[in-house]
Every structure is written in C-alpha cells, then in structure tokens.
Amino acid sequence: MFRTALRNVLAHKARLLMTVLAVMLGVAFVSGTLVFTSTISDAYRKSSQKGYDKVDVAVQPRHQDGEDGKPGETPRLSQGLLDRAAKVPGAASATGSVNGFAAIADKHGKLIGEGFSSSGANYYPGPGGKDARYPMKSGRAPQGSGEIALDARTAERAGYKAGDTVRISVDGPVLSQKITGIFTTDDGAVSAGGSLALFDTPTAQKLYGKPGEFSQIDVKAAAGTSQTALKSAVDKVLPKDAKSVTGKELADDEAKIIAQSMDGMRTSLLVFAGISLFVGIFIIANTFTMLVAQRTKELALMRAVGASRRQITRSVLIEAFVVGAVAGIAGLIAGIGIGAGLRSLISSTGNSIPDGPLVIAPNTVLVSLVVGIVVTMLAAWLPGRRAAKIPPVAAMNSIHAVATTKSLVVRNSIGGAITALGAAVVLTASSSTVLGLGAAVVLIGIFVLTPLLSRPVIAAWAPLLRLFGMPGRLARQNAVRNPRRTAATASALMIGLTLITGLTVIAGSVQKAIDKMATESLKADYVVSMASMTPLSPDVEKKLAAHPDVTATSPMRQSPARIDGDHQLLRGVNGEAVEKLAKLDFTSGRFTVAGDKVVIDDALSRINRWKTGSSFDVTFEDGKKGRLTVAGVYKGNDLMRGIMVDNRTLTPHLSEINDNQVMVKTKNGAGEAVKDSLRKALGDNPAIQIQTKQDISDGISRMINLLLNMLYGLLAMAVIVAVLGVINTLAMSVFERQQEIGMLRAIGLDRKGIKRMVRLESLVISLFGGVMGVGLGVFFGWAAGDLIRKGLSTYELVLPWGRMGLFLLLAAVVGVLAALWPARRAAKLNMLSAIKAE
C-alpha cells in the first residue's frame, strides 16, 4: 500500500502541484511571520543589552505619594547622592544621566526621523574627561550651552559634520547649536532610526530638569564585584525616594517588553496565516476528493482483492503526508524569503531596525513542517475515509456518487443550528474576543449551509446567463450539479472577502466618527502641539496670543490630583476663551470654567454620582487642598474629556508649567497662509505641528489606511489560495463531465461554446462566494459597531458601496482568471475519446 501511495503521488503531478502551492502559501505565511518577529526581537534584545553593558547598578527615582498627601510628585536624584554612590564599596565610578526630547532639524528645516524617537541627553565626563557611553568618532564633546554632539547615524543621514550649525527644539523654542563632535552609540532607539543629541551636563539639567539633579545614576562595579553585591552596597546610601536596579534586571525587563510587543504583532500575523491555511483546507479536500474519484474503480479493485478499509484510508493519508512534507519544506524556504522581505520593506519606509542576522529558530522549522503535514493530512482524511466506505461492487458500477436527500437535510439542519448559535454570540458579544469567536462559528455554519444557499443565489443569475444562450444555461446547471463541491469552492473566496469587507466597513465607520468628533468638538481653527507628543513650552501660547491674526487661545495643561482618595487628572484651560474654542454637548448646566467652577464629562458624573451643583474636595499637585464645584456635565470623547478647570486656578499648584497643546482661533479661519504665518511666528520649528480639524482627521485616516492596506496585503494570500480552489473545482468538473462534453461537441457545440460554458460556471461560483462574503462582512461590521461605540461615541455605520462593488468585481476577475486553464483543457478534449471515456 505504501508503494501504491507513492506511485499515485507521482501519477497526478499537475493536480498535486496546486495542492502543494495552496499548502505552501499558508506555511510560508506562518514561517515568514516567525522568522520576521524572531529576527526583530533578537535585534532589539541584543541592541538593548549593549546599552546596559556599562551599567551594573542603576539608581532611579521611586515614584510614591508623600506623607502630606501630595499626588504624583516626581522625585529627583541629587549630585550629593551621585557622589555617595560613587564612593560605596565595590563601585568603580558613577555617572549621572539626564534625558528628554530633542527634535533635530535637517538642512531643509524638517524633523529628522519620528518625533517620539528624537531624544537628548547629557555628556558626563568621567576619569580622563571622557564619557565611556559615547565614544567620539570625530571632534570633541560639548562644553557650553551653545554646543552639542550628534550621533553618527543621524549625522550621516542629514549630512552634518563637526563644525556645522544645527537647529534643535527641546520644549518649543528653537535653539541654534554648534556641532562640536560626532559620536557612536549602542542606544537601541538610535539603532532603530531615532536621533540623539548630547549637551554638556549643566545645559541638559537646565533643559530637562533642575540644576544639579539627574533622572538616573549609573554605577559601574569595580573588578571582582558582582552586580548583586554592588546593589546591596548602593542600597545603604539611598534615600526613601530612590531605588536601585541591577543592569541585568534592566536588560531583562527591556527584553520582556520587546517580547510582549512582538507577541502582539506575531499573533496578528499568525491569525492571517491561519485564515490562509483554513481556506487551503477546502482546496486540499477538493483535490483529494478529485484524486479519489479518478481512482474509484482502482480502489474498488484493491478492496476486492483483499485491501481493508483501513489500508485504503492509510494509502490516501500517506499521499497527503508526502504532499504536506514537500509543501512544508517549500513553505519554510519561501517563508525565510518573506521574513527577509518584510524586514527590508520596513527599512525602505524609513522605519529602521537594529542591525542583526536573520534568525531561523528551530521551532520555526518544526512548526512549518508540522503545519504543512498536519493540515494536509486533516484535509485528506475525509475523502480517504469516504473512499474506504464505498462497497467494491457499487464503486465498479459508479452508483455511489449521488448524495442522498437525507444527508443534505442533516447537513442543513446542523448548519442552521451552528449559524444561529454563532449569530447569537455575535449579537450579544461584550468583547472583541467573544465577537471574533462568534464570527468564526457563523462562518463555519454558513460553510455547512452553502450547498443549500447556492441554489437560490445562483438561480438569481439565470436571467443574465440566458443572454449567453446554451453555454449560459449549461453553466448554471453545472454550478448547482454538485452543491457540496461548489459550496467548498465558494467558501474559500467567501472567507477572504468577509474579512476584507468587514475591516473596510469598520475602518470607514471609524474614520467618519473621527471626522464627526473633530467637527463637533472643536471650534478652534488650529491645534498646536509637539510632534513627539511631549509638552509645549508656555512661550508658545504667548507667541500665538500676540499674533495679529489670532483672536483667542487656550493652552491645555494636565496636573495629577487626588479626589476622594483616587487619582484624577485635572485639565487646565483658559476659562475666558475656551467656550470660543471648544464645542461641547452639555447634558446639564453650562460651560462655565472660572475660579472653583469646573465642568466634567458624563462618565465621571456617572462614576462619582456628581451632577450640576455638586462640590468635591481636591488635593492639588503641590499638596494644597481646595474645593471645586460642578458647573456643567458634558458628553466626553477622545478629544475632550475629564475635569476642566481654569488655568488661573490650576497653574499656581504646578511644579512645572507645560502645555499639552494650544487651541487657536483666528480672524479669517483656517488657511495655508495663516498657518505659514503662525509657523514663522514660532520660529519655523520642525517639532511643532500646527493642525486644522481636517489635519487631525487626515492624520488618523492615514494610520487607519496604512493598517487597512497591510491587512489587505495579508488577506490577498487567502484570495490567491481561493483562486487555486476554483481552478481545482473546474478541473474536477471537466474530468467528471468528459463524456458529456464529448456529446455536446458531437451535437454541435463548438470549442468557443465549451470555453464560454466553463468560464461562466467559474464566474457564477466566484460571484456566489463574493456575494456571500460581502454580505457577511457587512453583518460583522455592523455587529462590531456596538462594541466600538462604547469607546467612540460618534461611531455610526458607514457602508463603502464603491469598495464593496470593487470586491464583487474582484470576485468576478478571480472567476475569469481561474477558468482559463480548465476552459482551454475542456475545449481541447477529443470528442470521440471523451465519449468513450468511462
């Protein structure tokens, strides 16, 4: 039986090639995902470990509430603590670190890299006057307030060298600094495409904190002293508002964060790989059904001469094992290429990643082979079992192929029950996970029901097919002749289009909600903020308020506070101008923000049972206490929410005055000329973004479209697999109807008519899958709306009619392309040989 199985594998090369391709694509997706995420994780992990090579013990602030009830106070590390840490037994040296945001402009005035990865730090000379963390490649270290050193990657990217002048923004205003040196660094953020500017320590402390204070102290161990021993010694000199961490602990924590971030990406990619494999199962099952059908009499003869049912099933599974092994190996090789390609693609978009080798872990090889073999054998088991159950005499007389009415009734009953169960879960889902599980159950139920659904849906195309004469009528009859096979083929395409349509509906609806939120929440013409999402200097609002075109401004500030024992954020605004800049929907009270009068969102009102006129005690950031009164309750959203208090009330309690953003109203409304004028007033600062309501919406839209396009690319794999499925089904149909095609040719249907018949059959099957996919996608998109609306109050269903029409057109194109080879094969059949075929 083993030799027979191997002979059968080699006897049907063309059929098995399509199966290998279907499995290979799914396996390639899985292995490519594992290779890509393993490579990125390894690169970041090694990069972060290099960054901690020179740190044996790090002293950090311990964030805690003071005994006097001050909320959220950030402790600082003093020069005295650094000196004490450097003198503990086992310490070789101690280095004070100060860091923060530093946007560097290129020679054209544009921000280098992404704002969130643009950073600044201090150069802390140790023994010999050098900082071992930042070896100088050329030039010297910065020594005064007008000097910086720049990392070599950024300098090369922007074309800077020692002696050049560069424009830098730290908290808003632009600084013109002289580059005194170019240095190298193992900093992971720089390796990943970020930038790093070094100031001398007094300048960095002035820019990022307070004179004489540090954000971290790094202690280097003397020879023969372990990190644990040094930590114990350092702990003895630490105040209660500081803590110590070993360099190994820091590296391990960083590695865990990287692993967790990669887990999310890996899971998302593997979900789509699973979808491709799930779709591929239909094709594999169809292929083996076809192969078994071609060998029905051969298998019957083997049963007649003594082969058992188990041996027949085993021979089919052996074929599947060989096919799965070949596909698994091919998929692994292709996946390595995909992993390398994804890494290059990320680099080409400007998002650099740390250098490192391509990582092919042993589990990647094992998973690829197991997935390829197991998926293929599972898909082939049912056809093999069905073949083994055919009585030898029935198989030789070909009376076994017709599905009984009873079997279809049982199938439809089961499918209806599964679909109803899944729909109930979808409609009552309280989380995205439950919704996803319900959607999967619905898809399985619809797949079971598709033989029943295929007849009425395909029958709806009858009037159009009649326009093609006899080939059209024959195509419709052929499409419903074997409803199970038609259903399996259409389901492959249906699943892909369901996901594509559902994601498109959700993305379009979210975008509409964002547009609506920006329009309804803002009266301001512009919102000014830092590209890095770091705080703005108060000078920015002062310069904007002094601009001749500006009629109203309001800086938005945040401050931690304690209310009824809980931590809350107070959001400071300009009480006199905020009503001209923000548009809020009040459920009670009015927009009054002055003195102790505040407005709150409806969520806080429900949680705390506050209403208009309610008063509550508050402990401000500096520990002082006060009492605030609710003047109004508004409907909160992602742009406007929380407790709004007048800045004149809040600012005296702040340890540092910084603005998250500034809302601006101008005389003549939003326009490019006004925006350019405001930008010049702020010194053409590349780190400051001036956005209109449309800019805010477009920025979110770009992120949504980027994510959507990535998902389209991933789901394209499932569509490609579905094309192979249509080809397989048509090839099987042509094989089964050789006599019929020969008779049609004999009674006058020419080769063009045969081709047209097969193409129309393919078109009808593909459009059936397309209609089902688009319909289910709309249903799932609508169902997801209830969950999204909980976090996005302006969400409403938007149906992208244009794109849905495009998806149906895609289904039609799939049908036409998939029919090319089977139609040509059917037309080339010799009519006499076909008529004599058994």
Side-chain angles (χ1 to χ4, degrees), residues 17 28 45 66 97 108 139 142 238 356 400 415 453 568 659 698 762:
L17 177 61
R45 185 176 65 254
S97 297
H108 302 289
L238 294 184
H400 63 284
L453 298 172
Q568 296 281 359
D659 300 331
D698 290 345
S762 175

Side-chain angles (χ1 to χ4, degrees), residues 641-690:
R641 60 183 175 183
I643 304 172
M644 287 193 192
V645 59
D646 191 351
N647 275 327
R648 285 177 295 186
T649 301
L650 181 65
T651 302
H653 300 287
L654 301 181
S655 57
E656 294 182 28
I657 302 175
N658 289 310
D659 300 331
N660 286 11
Q661 60 185 35
V662 179
M663 295 185 290
V664 181
K665 187 79 173 174
T666 57
K667 293 177 181 177
N668 301 316
E672 285 301 318
V674 178
K675 183 187 285 189
D676 290 340
S677 178
L678 295 178
R679 187 178 290 114
K680 288 178 181 178
L682 296 176
D684 284 324
N685 192 324
I688 296 179
Q689 55 183 9
I690 303 173

